[in-house]
Amino acid sequence: MATASRTVGGSTSGSYTTLFTHVLEDWWNGSKAEDIVFQNVPILWVLSRVSKKSKPLPAYINVRLMESKSAGVGSFGGYDTVSTSPSKGAQAATFGVANYAAPIAMSLEEEWEFTSPQAIADRLEEYVEQVELTLADRIAKDIYKGSSGNSKNILGLEDICYGSAHSGGGITYISDRWKARQANNILGGIQRAVFTAAEAGGTGWENVSIDFEVGGHTFEISSDAPTNELKRLAQLYNFCSYGTQHPDLFVSSQQPFDDYEFCAMAKMRVQKESSSFGDVELAFDNLKYKGAVWIMDEFAATQNSGLGNATAAKQRMYALNTNMLDLAVDSRADFALRPPKEPVDQLAAVRHLVWRGQLVPRNPRYLGTIFDYGT
């Protein structure tokens, strides 16, 4: 590639290729890139502001969890013999880190088309906007679809909130919480197991899951009373609640969001919009359910085929506790620009926009899903 010096944007460059000059760095803003990418992904817009943990990330992220209760715990009196039984310590769930790269390329011929610094800036703006929107579309799908089909992807909500049919089936009253904790997939290297009673089976690592069975079941009000489907919504919230910890974020595809709003219009007194989520200003449509903000995302419909009992492309919703989810981001690759590269056999150059991170569940029992909603 030609290396004759010229002036670009007021400074002298040793290369004809604009990607090798300071122009892109002067114009680039990583924080702005995050806003542009995540503003099209409502769940990431929220998580990036309330659950983001930024630091240099290792190859794997470990989450320590208690595998079993302490042995020998009990009351005593006087000279009773007390237990000295040892307890098994914590085990760890392990999550790899996902890497994403998007190229910004420019040929020498394209470079020659520039007639002014403003023309250079305009072209770069087009390239960067294209890359940002494309990356947003990819992450928007992967945050739900996850790594089941591609282990290099970010962990998705379909991995974490596994779509297993609740015990007993049907849309009638689910008498016990354990019946909705039937996940049996591997998450973070730990094999989850179905609960068979309140304290039998399971590992404590199972999410809440309620199957609407693709039977036309939707949130409705009939004869001034909530239907069984609307009651299951209440159970989803209640089953994900422990003590002072409750779901604070609902995310759903279009139909559950619309149906709940129609119920609100008809009979229920709810706050239809929340202007903020904590300190996060919400710029997109939202509703309120109990203490949770409810947002809509078209990609929340089931993405995977054959993952658990969920049917691909069917409507779905998630009940999340953002205290139990970390958006771990590598501070060295947080929508960062890598140095330019010039192929040995092409008159062109490329730079990569890179992002490195992972969606890390801290305790899936506080997280839940309703799947196969509607027809």
Side-chain angles (χ1 to χ4, degrees):
M1 182 172 286
T3 57
S5 178
R6 71 167 185 169
T7 299
V8 179
S11 79
T12 300
S13 166
S15 171
Y16 267 110
T17 304
T18 299
L19 295 181
F20 279 83
T21 72
H22 68 89
V23 175
L24 191 52
E25 274 85 354
D26 288 350
W27 185 80
W28 179 256
N29 183 320
S31 297
K32 180 182 177 183
E34 179 181 88
D35 288 347
I36 291 173
V37 172
F38 285 176
Q39 73 180 358
N40 294 313
V41 190
I43 183 175
L44 284 178
W45 176 266
V46 174
L47 293 179
S48 67
R49 283 151 176 77
V50 300
S51 302
K52 182 177 178 179
K53 305 292 189 293
S54 181
K55 63 179 182 180
L57 296 179
Y60 297 95
I61 299 172
N62 293 322
V63 177
R64 294 174 62 84
L65 60 144
M66 182 177 67
E67 183 177 356
S68 60
K69 296 179 181 179
S70 296
V73 175
S75 59
F76 75 97
Y79 291 96
D80 288 352
T81 300
V82 294
S83 174
T84 58
S85 299
S87 299
K88 187 174 182 178
Q91 62 174 327
T94 301
F95 301 95
V97 180
N99 306 299
Y100 288 83
I104 303 173
M106 187 176 296
S107 70
L108 179 59
E109 183 177 15
E110 290 172 306
E111 174 86 4
W112 283 336
E113 295 173 3
F114 298 143
T115 58
S116 68
Q118 183 58 48
I120 295 174
D122 290 345
R123 178 61 64 87
L124 287 176
E125 184 174 6
E126 291 176 5
Y127 285 162
V128 171
E129 182 178 10
Q130 180 184 32
V131 163
E132 289 171 338
L133 293 176
T134 305
L135 188 57
D137 183 71
R138 173 63 186 267
I139 295 178
K141 295 175 182 175
D142 286 357
I143 197 65
Y144 295 104
K145 187 172 185 178
S147 58
S148 296
N150 183 347
S151 61
K152 298 176 185 178
N153 287 351
I154 190 172
L155 194 69
L157 288 179
E158 292 184 27
D159 300 314
I160 299 168
C161 297
Y162 196 66
S164 292
H166 56 275
S167 178
I171 306 298
T172 55
Y173 181 66
I174 303 172
S175 57
D176 300 285
R177 190 198 316 248
W178 66 264
K179 292 182 178 180
R181 298 184 66 196
Q182 302 293 301
N184 60 358
N185 64 318
I186 296 174
L187 180 66
I190 296 176
Q191 176 66 61
R192 301 205 273 191
V194 301
F195 273 85
T196 56
E199 295 190 21
T203 64
W205 194 233
E206 290 76 26
N207 61 279
V208 171
S209 180
I210 298 176
D211 184 1
F212 266 35
E213 302 180 342
V214 199
H217 299 290
T218 59
F219 302 140
E220 298 177 17
I221 292 176
S222 176
S223 301
D224 295 331
T227 60
N228 284 329
E229 291 82 2
L230 205 53
K231 292 176 183 178
R232 298 299 78 73
L233 176 63
Q235 287 198 298
L236 176 68
Y237 181 94
N238 296 337
F239 286 167
C240 293
S241 299
Y242 293 84
T244 60
Q245 291 289 338
H246 308 280
D248 55 4
L249 181 65
F250 278 10
V251 185
S252 78
S253 51
Q254 185 75 54
Q255 189 181 355
F257 185 90
D258 288 346
D259 289 344
Y260 176 69
E261 185 170 16
F262 297 153
C263 290
M265 290 176 178
K267 298 291 181 184
M268 300 164 58
R269 291 178 59 85
V270 299
Q271 181 179 341
K272 284 188 59 181
E273 291 233 1
S274 175
S275 60
S276 62
F277 181 89
D279 295 329
V280 180
E281 194 72 22
L282 294 178
F284 34 81
D285 288 341
N286 60 90
L287 303 168
K288 287 277 285 183
Y289 182 82
K290 295 188 177 183
V293 173
W294 190 332
I295 59 178
M296 188 277 294
D297 188 341
E298 62 179 316
F299 291 120
T302 299
Q303 298 285 327
N304 287 291
S305 176
L307 190 62
N309 299 112
T311 306
K314 295 301 181 181
Q315 302 286 311
R316 190 165 181 162
M317 69 172 295
Y318 298 91
L320 307 176
N321 183 327
T322 57
N323 293 321
M324 303 300 166
L325 284 172
D326 285 348
L327 182 63
V329 178
D330 196 314
S331 56
R332 302 164 299 180
D334 190 1
F335 294 104
L337 278 173
R338 298 297 299 164
K341 295 180 179 180
E342 185 177 355
V344 296
D345 58 352
Q346 290 178 308
L347 295 177
V350 63
R351 302 193 68 169
H352 285 92
L353 165 64
V354 295
W355 185 87
R356 186 170 189 262
Q358 187 57 279
L359 182 63
V360 182
R362 291 292 171 186
N363 197 332
R365 73 174 185 161
Y366 292 91
L367 312 173
T369 183
I370 286 176
F371 65 93
D372 283 2
Y373 180 97
T375 56

